[in-house]
Amino acid sequence: MQSITSLSRFVARSTRAVTALALSAGLALGATGTAHAQGVPIVRDAEIEALVRDYARPILKAAGLANSNINIVLVNDPAFNAFVAGRRMFINTGALMTAETPNEIIGVIAHEAGHIAGGHQERLRDQLARAQTMAIVAALLGAGAMVAGAATDTSGLGAAGAGVVAGGSEMARRSLLGYQRSEEVTADRSAITYLNATGQSAQGMLKTFQRFQNALSLSGARVDPYQVSHPMPRERIANLETLARESPYFDKKDSEALQQRHDMMRVKIAAYTQGQAATSRLLRGTDGLASRYGDAQSTYLFGDLRSALSKTDALIKSQPKNAYFHELRGDILMKSNKPAAAAEAYTTAVKLDTAKSGILPIQLGQTYLAMGTPDALKKAVVEIRKGLDRDRENASGYRYLAQAYGMLGDVADADLATADGHYYSGAYQDAKIFAMRAQQKLKPGSPGWVRAQDIINYKAPSKKKK
Ligand SMILES: [Zn+2]
């Protein structure tokens, strides 16, 4: 995972206290720019993003949404939630952890695609599409607090949550209190169509919704926001079951390879967000490779680095072309203060990564940054820029880029990169300050100067509008 050095430390039981969370990727950065860590718990991970994108791609295509170029945003929240806004699909780690099979998540994605294709909540989606990713997540966590509080009691947390909402995210509140019953019926029917078109079962969707109907919460959180925004009366679920069973694919299972990737994702999330004990508990229910992967991750995070390295090398022996095993090798070597060896591992990971994640080149760039020689710093700039070309909104990537430029003595480009980092974190005032600083040193009309001007001219979407 990128830049999240010790995720587990920050995952408080009360995820609702947005300001108490300090998961921003900028934290790992040190000197150059943690002043505005937004406290937004976004998890960036090449492996999980690629997997969820693989889940979503055929469904979105079947829904006629193939050209929307959907970006996956993982939110570190134990509650169950998933939705799409603009070209971003937000999925809570809690939903991924809860789903025992890929089909369960694919079913939820199909249902969401049904809402989008049906034009439900369009105006709201437009508003969300214009906002920056981190601003949306912050707003949603606030809104989640409000909803959770309102559903369980009228004091304390609920009141605090309502304050957060009033302060900035009316739109998110309405999103959570979202869909009409008629829209649910439409989305269910569309979901079945997409699943049939892609030869997949609706069993996972049905199972998820049935569990929501029977239990208060799937994830153990107070109330899952997904449950609140998607009303699930008994007759709706009964109708869905009838439709699902009519499909010739009802009994079709996910492929073994996909199930294995799913299991590896779950053990990784567990290791990062729930600590060692929860990971070992989960490992007991997983197959050989996923279990060994979880063990290696857990050893890397909580145990002995030398042992983590030998476990990872054994994994690489089993699957030499798995980019993420090489990535883990790089993570371990970086933590062991061996940036040159880490660079080799990440270079292999970048080469093997068919999903072409921007995260891996940025991690490679960080190893060059750690080496610190002028030659290495130039390589850092090249790799980080390559990562940012693939992943334009990667706020922490800009901060590493700023650091590399700064160490090379290129103050103008360092200021511009810092401006971009603030911009993509949603800290527009700071972004403008650094953009103005950069402009003073950049040639008027040059691409950098023009980018700085764009940031200076940017108008944040109004929060007060209804
Ligand atoms: Zn729904």
Side-chain angles (χ1 to χ4, degrees):
M1 297 201 183
Q2 186 195 8
S3 308
I4 297 168
T5 44
S6 50
L7 193 56
S8 56
R9 243 190 317 144
F10 297 106
V11 180
R13 280 293 132 222
S14 60
T15 344
R16 304 309 182 191
V18 180
T19 47
L21 273 171
L23 267 183
S24 153
L27 273 186
L29 176 70
T32 57
T34 53
H36 301 284
Q38 296 292 293
V40 174
I42 289 177
V43 175
R44 295 303 315 271
D45 184 82
E47 180 177 23
I48 304 172
E49 289 173 11
L51 180 61
V52 178
R53 214 175 296 132
D54 285 350
Y55 290 168
R57 193 179 302 109
I59 294 292
L60 294 172
K61 193 173 168 216
L65 300 165
N67 296 326
S68 43
N69 193 21
I70 298 285
N71 222 330
I72 308 292
V73 181
L74 305 169
V75 182
N76 183 25
D77 187 324
F80 194 108
N81 206 7
F83 70 97
V84 175
R87 50 178 197 84
R88 281 162 294 204
M89 177 177 296
F90 293 83
I91 299 189
N92 282 6
T93 51
L96 299 175
M97 280 292 295
T98 303
E100 287 170 358
T101 64
N103 187 251
E104 291 170 39
I105 288 294
I106 292 167
V108 169
I109 291 171
H111 178 88
E112 291 310 296
H115 280 308
I116 302 166
H120 309 158
Q121 299 277 0
E122 202 138 74
R123 208 168 64 90
L124 177 73
R125 287 178 192 281
D126 278 353
Q127 289 176 346
L128 287 171
R130 283 197 302 272
Q132 295 297 332
T133 301
M134 292 204 184
I136 295 174
V137 174
L140 285 170
L141 287 179
M146 195 281 300
V147 171
T152 50
D153 61 66
T154 52
S155 60
L157 186 64
V164 175
V165 173
S169 57
E170 173 65 15
M171 65 175 188
R173 186 178 71 80
R174 292 199 294 131
S175 131
L176 283 164
L177 298 174
Y179 297 107
Q180 308 292 320
R181 285 188 181 199
S182 61
E183 292 175 329
E184 290 302 342
V185 172
T186 310
D188 285 343
R189 285 182 178 276
S190 304
I192 301 256
T193 308
Y194 309 149
L195 290 165
N196 283 341
T198 53
Q200 301 182 90
S201 171
Q203 212 170 134
M205 177 171 68
L206 182 64
K207 188 178 164 198
T208 302
F209 291 172
Q210 276 171 339
R211 280 186 306 190
F212 265 129
Q213 193 188 30
N214 296 331
L216 190 63
S217 163
L218 293 190
S219 53
R222 301 234 296 184
V223 173
D224 289 314
Y226 196 83
Q227 200 173 1
V228 178
S229 55
H230 301 258
M232 303 199 191
R234 202 157 293 277
E235 56 169 312
R236 174 193 159 201
I237 305 301
N239 287 337
L240 176 62
E241 180 164 8
T242 307
L243 280 174
R245 287 185 183 279
E246 280 168 10
S247 163
Y249 306 108
F250 185 70
D251 289 317
K252 195 170 168 198
K253 299 265 173 289
D254 300 299
S255 76
E256 262 178 53
L258 203 64
Q259 182 68 51
Q260 186 175 66
R261 287 174 70 193
H262 188 81
D263 290 341
M264 291 205 275
M265 167 185 74
R266 289 178 79 212
V267 295
K268 188 185 215 176
I269 294 173
Y272 272 87
T273 67
Q274 300 186 354
Q276 209 166 6
T279 310
S280 2
R281 221 174 302 129
L282 183 65
L283 289 182
R284 272 177 237 138
T286 55
D287 94 311
L289 197 70
S291 168
R292 282 162 55 204
Y293 187 46
D295 181 36
Q297 292 278 3
S298 170
T299 308
Y300 156 62
L301 290 169
F302 311 109
D304 173 58
L305 291 173
R306 195 183 294 260
S307 160
L309 191 62
S310 72
K311 286 172 183 178
T312 304
D313 285 340
L315 286 168
I316 290 172
K317 226 171 181 182
S318 306
Q319 270 190 4
K321 296 209 161 146
N322 187 320
Y324 314 113
F325 292 168
H326 293 276
E327 180 194 17
L328 176 57
R329 186 166 207 278
D331 293 344
I332 295 165
L333 291 165
M334 266 303 264
K335 202 172 168 186
S336 315
N337 281 320
K338 294 176 180 160
E344 275 179 44
Y346 287 132
T347 300
T348 308
V350 171
K351 261 187 220 144
L352 292 173
D353 174 32
T354 50
K356 303 230 168 297
S357 170
I359 295 171
L360 297 174
I362 292 171
Q363 283 175 311
L364 175 56
Q366 284 173 252
T367 65
Y368 291 127
L369 203 52
M371 287 183 231
T373 62
D375 203 39
L377 290 170
K378 279 178 204 150
K379 284 186 189 165
V381 168
V382 170
E383 291 303 328
I384 296 169
R385 292 200 78 105
K386 180 169 145 193
L388 289 169
D389 280 346
R390 294 173 175 186
D391 187 3
R392 273 199 42 189
E393 292 192 16
N394 193 318
S396 60
Y398 289 103
R399 290 174 185 149
Y400 295 121
L401 184 62
Q403 205 175 344
Y405 277 130
M407 288 166 78
L408 282 166
D410 182 348
V411 183
D413 281 317
D415 282 346
L416 183 59
T418 303
D420 267 319
H422 286 310
Y423 176 81
Y424 288 111
S425 307
Y428 302 118
Q429 279 312 107
D430 298 301
K432 283 169 202 275
I433 290 167
F434 278 93
M436 282 188 254
R437 274 200 216 172
Q439 259 198 347
Q440 289 166 4
K441 294 157 229 143
L442 290 162
K443 193 170 157 239
S446 67
W449 188 92
V450 171
R451 172 63 190 149
Q453 192 61 43
D454 286 346
I455 293 173
I456 292 164
N457 291 343
Y458 178 77
K459 270 205 166 83
S462 166
K463 286 173 178 171
K464 289 278 160 68
K465 232 190 250 162
K466 67 168 171 74

